[in-house]
Amino acid sequence: MTDGSNMYRYVEIRLADGSTTKVRVGRDLWKSVEAGDRIVKRPGADPVKG
């Protein structure tokens, strides 16, 4: 039985050029995003809803 400490959460992101990629996100962002939300990832920062 795992304790959840090593659980990683990924979202699949569609980029402006139409390609897709998987991005690892924290628990708070994972719980707050829904399909169609916009996510912004700036260099050196964690992804956030934008």
Side-chain angles (χ1 to χ4, degrees):
M1 170 90 40
T2 62
D3 63 2
S5 63
N6 290 326
M7 291 187 62
Y8 298 111
R9 295 160 186 91
Y10 291 89
V11 293
E12 188 170 349
I13 305 292
R14 184 179 309 125
L15 304 174
D17 66 1
S19 63
T20 60
T21 188
K22 286 186 178 181
V23 177
R24 187 171 141 185
V25 297
R27 184 173 190 243
D28 292 338
L29 181 58
W30 173 259
K31 293 186 110 189
S32 69
V33 294
E34 295 181 17
D37 284 348
R38 184 178 184 106
I39 295 177
V40 177
K41 168 69 173 89
R42 292 193 169 76
D46 291 334
V48 294
K49 280 176 71 169

